[in-house]
Amino acid sequence: MGKDLYSILGVSKTATKAEIKTAYHKLARKYHPDVNKDNPQAADKFKEVSAAYDILGDDEKRKQYDNNEIDADGKPTGFGAGFGGGTYSGAENPFGQRGFYSSSSSGAGANFDFSSIFGDDIFSAFGGGTQGAYQGFGGSSRRVRKGEDINYTMCIDFLTAVKGGERQVLLNGKNINVKIPSGTVDGQTLRLKGLGNPGHYGGENGDVLITLNVEKHPYFSLDGQNILIELPISIKEAVLGAKVTVPTIDGQVMVKIPPYASSGDKLRLKGKGLKNRNGVGDQLVSLRIVSPRNKNADLEKVLQSLPDENVRTF
């Protein structure tokens, strides 16, 4: 029994296009070769997942697959499935014979491309040149068509996503420099125009669609256009205030912690956030008071000399 593309992506046959895309992104990130360098089997799984999405993620291909017009590899399943169930007709056909098989008006044969099976020679053999549009077989024709798009998934680090940069990928045997725009977010798709598969009968080439998966950073995270970071501070720094250095995406900066700061207090670094066409965000520094790791008798003595204070409101 052939493989089932829906099972490969782990979705039902009634899944929406958005659900299929989400499932693909999750699996592509899981099995991407860049994050599975010690697991050669992951590369095969990644190819299988990408091939499944290439069909199910395309409305026309998915319809053909559901109608059994193409198989799980995207190949035509044969005359019966390709025509979508036809009937014999008494009309003249292009071969000068009566009673030849033709498709119903609602069948897939109305747009069936015979060159995908027989090649270009079948058209020239019956008076149709490579530039002509051959009509027949229930209305099928050679149409100028755009080439198929190529889907690719790329993992990038957090700083490259935020600040922009370049990555090199191998596409169709060529090394291509891909520019990552500043302000890129996880799941964003880049389109490389005309770098996909060749077009048919003079049609333009397809595109390359690169889905970007942004890796997590050790201490930075995003909230919209704001960059978040948690800053550990000592009890002394919290009570007396201090000047400390804080990392940003552009390097370290000095910030002032006000006296009697509490955990959860936030400092705002204006203009140090994500920059994109929507503007620029800020960096929000969330304070977290950290007690000493080792026993400190002097600190205990000072604290014991302070009067008790109720800081709770419940």
Side-chain angles (χ1 to χ4, degrees):
M1 186 175 180
K3 55 187 176 182
D4 178 62
L5 300 185
Y6 291 99
S7 296
I8 291 174
L9 293 183
V11 297
S12 68
K13 290 188 177 181
T14 58
T16 64
K17 190 171 184 178
E19 290 171 340
I20 290 175
K21 185 176 182 180
T22 298
Y24 163 68
H25 284 172
K26 181 179 179 180
L27 293 172
R29 186 180 305 178
K30 178 179 179 181
Y31 294 111
H32 197 284
D34 289 351
V35 295
N36 292 277
K37 295 180 180 179
D38 297 328
N39 183 10
Q41 295 178 344
D44 294 333
K45 188 66 177 176
F46 178 78
K47 292 178 181 178
E48 183 181 47
V49 168
S50 298
Y53 181 69
D54 182 60
I55 292 178
L56 297 186
D58 183 284
D59 291 338
E60 183 62 26
K61 289 182 182 179
R62 182 182 180 184
K63 181 179 178 181
Q64 292 175 331
Y65 177 72
D66 289 343
N67 291 337
N68 196 32
E69 296 166 16
I70 60 174
D71 60 18
D73 296 318
K75 298 178 181 178
T77 55
F79 286 112
F83 286 107
T87 59
Y88 282 96
S89 169
E92 292 286 350
N93 64 68
F95 291 81
Q97 300 171 345
R98 299 180 63 85
F100 193 78
Y101 190 99
S102 67
S103 68
S104 64
S105 60
S106 62
N111 293 310
F112 191 79
D113 184 0
F114 275 80
S115 66
S116 65
I117 296 179
F118 298 107
D120 289 338
D121 289 343
I122 187 173
F123 300 104
S124 58
F126 294 97
T130 57
Q131 299 301 318
Y134 176 84
Q135 299 291 338
F137 295 98
S140 66
S141 64
R142 295 176 62 200
R143 306 179 310 280
V144 174
R145 288 185 296 161
K146 180 182 176 182
E148 298 291 337
D149 294 338
I150 296 176
N151 291 292
Y152 188 87
T153 301
M154 178 189 295
C155 292
I156 58 174
D157 62 88
F158 182 90
L159 292 180
T160 298
V162 172
K163 301 182 66 176
E166 284 193 4
R167 288 285 297 272
Q168 193 174 79
V169 297
L170 183 65
L171 295 172
N172 288 337
K174 297 180 181 180
N175 285 318
I176 305 296
N177 287 325
V178 179
K179 291 186 177 181
I180 312 297
S182 61
T184 295
V185 296
D186 186 57
Q188 185 171 329
T189 299
L190 303 180
R191 180 182 294 272
L192 306 185
K193 192 74 174 175
L195 295 183
N197 290 319
H200 303 277
Y201 312 122
E204 62 179 329
N205 291 347
D207 304 330
V208 172
L209 304 177
I210 301 180
T211 300
L212 300 174
N213 291 336
V214 181
E215 299 171 345
K216 290 184 178 180
H217 193 273
Y219 38 84
F220 290 130
S221 61
L222 277 179
D223 180 17
Q225 288 186 255
N226 293 329
I227 293 178
L228 310 181
I229 185 173
E230 187 178 70
L231 179 66
I233 60 174
S234 67
I235 294 177
K236 180 179 179 180
E237 291 171 333
V239 174
L240 301 181
K243 290 183 178 181
V244 300
T245 57
V246 176
T248 72
I249 60 173
D250 298 315
Q252 291 190 336
V253 298
M254 187 73 70
V255 299
K256 183 177 180 180
I257 300 173
Y260 294 96
S262 299
S263 289
D265 287 351
K266 288 182 173 58
L267 308 178
R268 184 181 295 271
L269 305 182
K270 200 72 175 177
K272 294 295 184 180
L274 188 72
K275 301 176 184 178
N276 57 24
R277 60 187 178 183
N278 296 322
V280 57
D282 304 327
Q283 178 167 317
L284 302 180
V285 181
S286 181
L287 303 180
R288 177 169 61 90
I289 300 174
V290 179
S291 297
R293 293 184 179 275
N294 300 319
K295 183 178 177 65
N296 188 322
D298 291 336
L299 177 61
E300 292 177 11
K301 185 176 181 180
V302 170
L303 293 176
Q304 288 173 352
S305 67
L306 296 176
D308 292 337
E309 182 180 4
N310 183 15
V311 297
R312 288 167 288 280
T313 58
F314 51 85

